[in-house]
Amino acid sequence: MIIDDAPPPMRLFLKRLLTRSVLTEVEQRALAALPGREQEIEANREFVTQGEYVDHACVVIDGLIARFAQTESGDRQIVMLHIPGDPADLQSTVAPAAIAPLQALTRSRILRIPHRALIAVANEHPAIAHAFWRDGIVDLGIVAQSLLSIGRRRALTRLAHLLCEITVRYEQIGFSRDAAIEFPITQVQLGDTLGLTPVHVNRMVKALRDAGLCRLAERRLEVLNWSGLAQVAEFDPAYLQLQPLDRHG
Amino acid sequence: MIIDDAPPPMRLFLKRLLTRSVLTEVEQRALAALPGREQEIEANREFVTQGEYVDHACVVIDGLIARFAQTESGDRQIVMLHIPGDPADLQSTVAPAAIAPLQALTRSRILRIPHRALIAVANEHPAIAHAFWRDGIVDLGIVAQSLLSIGRRRALTRLAHLLCEITVRYEQIGFSRDAAIEFPITQVQLGDTLGLTPVHVNRMVKALRDAGLCRLAERRLEVLNWSGLAQVAEFDPAYLQLQPLDRHG
DNA sequence: CGCGACTTTGACAGATGTCAAGGCTTGTGG
DNA sequence: CCACAAGCCTTGACATCTGTCAAAGTCGCG
């Protein structure tokens, strides 16, 4: 049901949209025909800055991208991690003053799609406009879960929950739950994601390792006991909306 | 620049959209003509439940509505507070399985607008489709700030930041920053919003009162020293997007 | 009048932060 | 090949913020 003659990077984007929306072949072809330019980003580079006006949206092709926010005093909070396939700022199409900066956590590759082209295709195909809108809605659900985690769960559960989410999201793009996943995040960055200090992240990583639930080292995540991890995490994947939502609701 | 012959509840909705988007008179009239049904909600009633399929979106006319999430063990986290004028779940138009339940924190009045009508008007006017999408984007920015607060700021700053945000948002709908605002939230609910226990909320409320920054009692919020409060809060209102965003970006 | 929901306060406990030091890996340059 | 620096991970001791428990006060309301 997914067309397979799109250029590979654009296919990733298409595939992601199809995990959240149902689109006809005509609509898929319209998306596949979108122009896009690939770009390599070095590790740690902030490639979209706060408030900057952009004229294109970025889809992650490879690597790990963080959307974040920071306080006056310089503390960082990662709002969302974007893995390959994720449009990191599709919403900029309609709100081009970046609401959140984007940083590559590791060397990454992105696909830049011009807003003009996105607007044109959305205006021509209402279902695509809905798919774009809906994409951000699912993201909001994910951020809401982060808020729940940080506000109401303790450190160990928080970490386990994030790891479960990451596992499932990588699974959606073709990685196995049982194999080790490339997840090149540092403990400092994990702290910025979970609202913890790096030292405490380290303690919790050790706790999960000692409990035999998972290993997180050498830029990889290896789940050793999925159900145990999910239990510690109180993980219920419903919020990830694994089934595409209906066409018009 | 806002048309003034819409029915009053619909005007609130229109006005809110215009704080975030620029719309022509034709587009405004199309919105003003939307059908809507008013409904009264009792205090503490959860009127949209998790996962429920809805066929209408709700705009708050009066009162205070919370969008929330909860853990298995029953802990609650309020993801966003909706004040009069806010569409609480406009996104349901395109994702009708509620991603987050809605609860009235106090006796409230809402306007229910059928999805069918919203979809029709969005399909006919691309700028309206963009305005709907953009509305949620600004909300995402607000939630991202909450995440930053809960993840990285301490309790006193967190509370002060929320109060600043609330003040500015009420200001946008016509309340004065210097007068006392009707803000009928309990300390338990504040805790659910800030990721704190009610006891600690109470301590922080007292601290702000003792510092002469604001008073929060009897269902009202009275700011006594705005700049002092904003300083404690490290408050920068940029994320609230007080200027409507450009038409097409 | 009495109940229930909310607020207030104190004493104490525990989770997480802070500070500090050392080890490990990786890359660079002599 | 070795020395060195930089970044990251690991661990321990201690500090502090926030949670927990408990009790009493206030207010609105039936």
Side-chain angles (χ1 to χ4, degrees):
Chain A
M1 180 56 192
I2 175 175
I3 65 169
D4 54 2
D5 50 355
M10 199 58 78
R11 260 195 85 173
L12 259 180
F13 178 40
L14 186 51
K15 195 171 159 200
R16 151 64 178 259
L17 288 176
L18 288 174
T19 65
R20 297 185 173 182
S21 300
V22 175
L23 294 171
T24 65
E25 190 183 323
V26 171
E27 287 150 4
Q28 290 185 41
R29 290 199 186 287
L31 286 164
L34 280 169
R37 205 157 60 73
E38 285 192 48
Q39 189 182 356
E40 192 97 11
I41 316 269
E42 319 146 39
N44 298 318
R45 169 125 180 276
E46 188 177 330
F47 62 99
V48 172
T49 55
Q50 177 74 47
E52 174 189 357
Y53 279 76
V54 295
D55 59 5
H56 60 274
C58 305
V59 176
V60 184
I61 298 175
D62 199 51
L64 195 59
I65 304 287
R67 187 190 305 194
F68 65 96
Q70 46 198 345
T71 65
E72 286 183 5
S73 46
D75 290 327
R76 287 163 55 95
Q77 174 65 46
I78 293 179
V79 174
M80 188 152 190
L81 293 172
H82 292 288
I83 69 176
D86 289 357
D89 59 351
L90 189 54
Q91 86 286 337
S92 68
T93 302
V94 106
I99 53 167
L102 294 176
Q103 183 184 31
L105 297 187
T106 182
R107 184 171 194 78
S108 302
R109 231 159 11 109
I110 61 171
L111 180 69
R112 297 164 54 135
I113 307 177
H115 287 161
R116 283 179 46 118
L118 290 165
I119 289 171
V121 77
N123 284 353
E124 182 152 358
H125 303 275
I128 291 181
H130 294 175
F132 286 173
W133 182 5
R134 197 182 283 131
D135 192 81
I137 292 165
V138 178
D139 277 0
L140 181 58
I142 293 176
V143 174
Q145 274 291 320
S146 300
L147 199 61
L148 176 62
S149 259
I150 296 187
R152 290 305 190 197
R153 297 199 245 249
R154 33 205 41 170
L156 187 67
T157 304
R158 247 186 260 181
L159 173 60
H161 196 276
L162 177 67
L163 297 180
C164 285
E165 176 184 316
I166 289 296
T167 301
V168 171
R169 285 172 60 197
Y170 272 98
E171 206 173 27
Q172 272 188 291
I173 57 173
F175 291 80
S176 161
R177 179 175 296 183
D178 303 313
I181 297 170
E182 288 289 319
F183 184 49
I185 196 171
T186 68
Q187 292 184 359
V188 174
Q189 292 160 351
L190 269 179
D192 287 343
T193 307
L194 297 169
L196 297 170
T197 57
V199 173
H200 207 63
V201 168
N202 186 279
R203 294 194 270 247
M204 298 301 108
V205 168
K206 176 173 159 59
L208 290 179
R209 187 184 341 114
D210 290 351
L213 298 177
C214 68
R215 271 173 45 80
L216 186 60
E218 293 154 18
R219 308 166 69 77
R220 296 184 315 141
L221 163 63
E222 188 176 2
V223 176
L224 301 172
N225 176 350
W226 170 258
S227 69
L229 187 64
Q231 194 174 344
V232 169
E234 300 176 11
F235 184 69
D236 174 356
Y239 71 98
L240 291 172
Q241 301 276 11
L242 301 179
Q243 302 305 319
L245 298 160
D246 231 331
R247 185 170 179 78
H248 277 155
Chain B
M1 179 55 192
I2 176 175
I3 65 169
D4 56 0
D5 51 355
M10 200 57 79
R11 261 197 84 173
L12 259 181
F13 178 41
L14 187 51
K15 195 172 159 198
R16 150 65 177 258
L17 289 176
L18 288 174
T19 64
R20 298 185 172 182
S21 301
V22 175
L23 294 171
T24 65
E25 189 181 323
V26 171
E27 288 150 1
Q28 290 185 40
R29 289 199 187 284
L31 286 164
L34 281 169
R37 205 157 59 75
E38 284 192 49
Q39 189 182 357
E40 193 97 11
I41 316 269
E42 318 145 43
N44 298 318
R45 171 127 178 273
E46 188 177 329
F47 62 99
V48 173
T49 56
Q50 178 74 46
E52 172 188 359
Y53 279 76
V54 294
D55 60 3
H56 60 272
C58 304
V59 176
V60 184
I61 298 175
D62 199 52
L64 195 58
I65 305 288
R67 186 190 306 194
F68 65 96
Q70 46 197 343
T71 65
E72 286 183 4
S73 45
D75 289 327
R76 287 162 53 97
Q77 175 65 47
I78 292 178
V79 174
M80 188 151 188
L81 293 172
H82 293 287
I83 67 176
D86 290 356
D89 59 352
L90 189 55
Q91 86 285 339
S92 70
T93 302
V94 107
I99 52 167
L102 294 176
Q103 182 184 33
L105 298 187
T106 181
R107 185 172 194 77
S108 301
R109 231 158 13 110
I110 62 172
L111 180 69
R112 297 164 54 136
I113 308 178
H115 288 162
R116 283 179 46 120
L118 290 165
I119 289 172
V121 77
N123 284 353
E124 182 152 0
H125 303 274
I128 290 180
H130 294 175
F132 286 173
W133 183 5
R134 195 181 286 133
D135 193 80
I137 293 165
V138 178
D139 277 0
L140 180 59
I142 293 176
V143 174
Q145 275 292 321
S146 299
L147 199 61
L148 175 62
S149 260
I150 296 187
R152 290 304 189 195
R153 298 200 245 249
R154 32 206 40 169
L156 187 67
T157 304
R158 246 185 261 181
L159 173 60
H161 196 275
L162 176 66
L163 297 181
C164 284
E165 175 183 316
I166 289 295
T167 301
V168 170
R169 285 172 61 197
Y170 271 97
E171 205 172 29
Q172 271 187 290
I173 57 173
F175 290 80
S176 161
R177 178 175 299 184
D178 303 312
I181 296 170
E182 287 290 319
F183 184 50
I185 197 171
T186 69
Q187 292 184 358
V188 174
Q189 291 159 351
L190 268 179
D192 286 344
T193 308
L194 298 169
L196 297 169
T197 56
V199 173
H200 207 62
V201 168
N202 186 279
R203 294 194 271 247
M204 297 301 108
V205 167
K206 176 173 159 59
L208 290 179
R209 188 185 338 116
D210 290 350
L213 298 177
C214 68
R215 272 173 44 80
L216 186 59
E218 294 153 17
R219 307 165 69 77
R220 296 184 315 141
L221 163 63
E222 188 176 2
V223 176
L224 301 172
N225 175 351
W226 170 258
S227 69
L229 187 64
Q231 193 173 342
V232 168
E234 300 174 13
F235 184 70
D236 174 355
Y239 72 98
L240 290 172
Q241 302 276 11
L242 300 180
Q243 303 304 321
L245 298 160
D246 231 331
R247 186 171 178 76
H248 278 155

